[in-house]
Amino acid sequence: MATWLCYAVGYVFITSGVMKLINTDFRATFHSLGVPFPETTLFLVAIIELGCGALIAGGMYVRKASMPLLVIMVGAIYYSKLPLIAVDGFLAFAFQARLDIVLLILLLLLIKHVPGKSFRGNSDINRLST
């Protein structure tokens, strides 16, 4: 089960990272959200999502790769979803933030239960830690 969880989470972040690199609409989005240094932040977020997503999908350093993604997800909720509460209400926020919240929970589960393999193959991803 842990392997499939890693595949799913890795897939989402790899896809998200690629889209941020090739779709120019994200530049305008980051500018409009008031993100500090929007173009640099966009590039860093895309590279982190790609790299950490690939590590997670490969079952490598899962805990360490999940941490930066957790920070990115908290930032995404803070900058893009939280303002919806004031404008459109809680229900609109809950709907728009559903994927972000699910990914937050999945990343927390990965951090807690899936150590991941190192490049030497020390840990077994198929065995959940307790």
Side-chain angles (χ1 to χ4, degrees):
M1 184 168 98
T3 302
W4 286 103
L5 182 62
C6 287
Y7 290 158
V9 171
Y11 167 78
V12 170
F13 282 107
I14 291 168
T15 305
S16 180
V18 168
M19 288 305 294
K20 283 179 178 72
L21 289 175
I22 64 172
N23 189 341
T24 57
D25 293 344
F26 282 102
R27 286 184 185 161
T29 302
F30 271 57
H31 277 282
S32 69
L33 292 173
V35 175
F37 308 105
E39 293 201 22
T40 304
T41 303
L42 173 64
F43 180 74
L44 288 173
V45 166
I47 295 301
I48 291 168
E49 286 181 346
L50 259 171
C52 292
L55 285 172
I56 290 171
M60 307 291 288
Y61 298 102
V62 174
R63 286 183 178 156
K64 291 179 182 176
S66 296
M67 301 283 188
L69 296 175
L70 196 65
V71 171
I72 288 172
M73 292 313 301
V74 169
I77 291 170
Y78 178 79
Y79 281 105
S80 67
K81 306 303 188 294
L82 212 51
L84 293 174
I85 293 175
V87 177
D88 298 323
F90 181 77
L91 216 49
F93 162 78
F95 179 74
Q96 292 293 325
R98 67 193 184 281
L99 178 61
D100 301 47
I101 292 168
V102 168
L103 284 171
L104 260 177
I105 293 166
L106 291 175
L107 287 167
L108 290 169
L109 287 171
L110 288 177
I111 290 168
K112 182 161 174 57
H113 295 291
V114 183
K117 298 175 275 197
S118 68
F119 284 106
R120 289 183 239 132
N122 294 348
S123 298
D124 183 9
I125 191 170
N126 295 318
R127 186 184 68 227
L128 293 178
S129 67
T130 55

